[in-house]
Amino acid sequence: LGSAFRELMEIRYSSGLFRMPTFEQVQQNLSFLNTGQSQTPGLIVMKLDANGRNYGGYKHILVVFNATNRQVVFSDSSLQALHLHLHPVQQLSNDALTRQSTFDSKAGTVTVAALTTAVFVSEAE
């Protein structure tokens, strides 16, 4: 298996938020941020929140799928003041572009390279 696939599988198993057991839990804890008339085509921004439950590992997870041929800077006010950082697996990724993904807590902004999936996490409190 390729290293990128192994990294994504390791990320998937790092938190129960990626493996919620019921439809109701998914509905309560999953939201999509890049929606509506002003959405950026080719960009999926998925936010998972524990909402007071213990899913192990992380309180918030933000996954950004950038399927465009250019770097994307995405902002959302719901991300402001979240203390997200690139997932530890991706901090050590074989892919240099993935390692360059950033999150700015004050602005609520993520920056992700072209054709890259980046996962940002916030430790459980």
Side-chain angles (χ1 to χ4, degrees):
L1 297 175
S3 62
F5 179 76
R6 280 192 300 274
E7 288 175 6
L8 290 175
M9 291 305 294
E10 190 174 341
I11 289 168
R12 180 177 185 264
Y13 284 100
S14 70
S15 174
L17 279 170
F18 286 117
R19 300 179 317 280
M20 290 177 273
T22 68
F23 177 72
E24 290 76 19
Q25 287 180 35
V26 172
Q27 285 187 310
Q28 291 171 355
N29 300 318
L30 172 66
S31 59
F32 290 92
L33 302 182
N34 183 39
T35 61
Q37 294 292 340
S38 62
Q39 73 183 3
T40 303
L43 184 70
I44 298 171
V45 182
M46 178 176 85
K47 186 173 176 245
L48 297 156
D49 295 296
N51 289 313
R53 295 186 66 157
N54 182 2
Y55 289 96
Y58 304 111
K59 184 176 180 180
H60 305 285
I61 298 174
L62 184 73
V63 183
V64 181
F65 301 93
N66 181 4
T68 72
N69 288 320
R70 58 181 170 70
Q71 175 179 286
V72 169
V73 177
F74 175 82
S75 296
D76 191 283
S77 61
S78 72
L79 301 175
Q80 289 176 331
L82 289 181
H83 298 288
L84 297 170
H85 56 83
L86 192 62
H87 194 287
V89 170
Q90 289 190 322
Q91 290 177 19
L92 303 172
S93 177
N94 288 326
D95 181 4
L97 290 177
T98 298
R99 291 193 311 267
Q100 293 173 16
S101 301
T102 62
F103 177 75
D104 179 336
S105 177
K106 186 174 181 180
T109 300
V110 293
T111 303
V112 177
L115 304 173
T116 300
T117 297
V119 180
F120 299 89
V121 295
S122 172
E123 307 301 327
E125 294 176 353

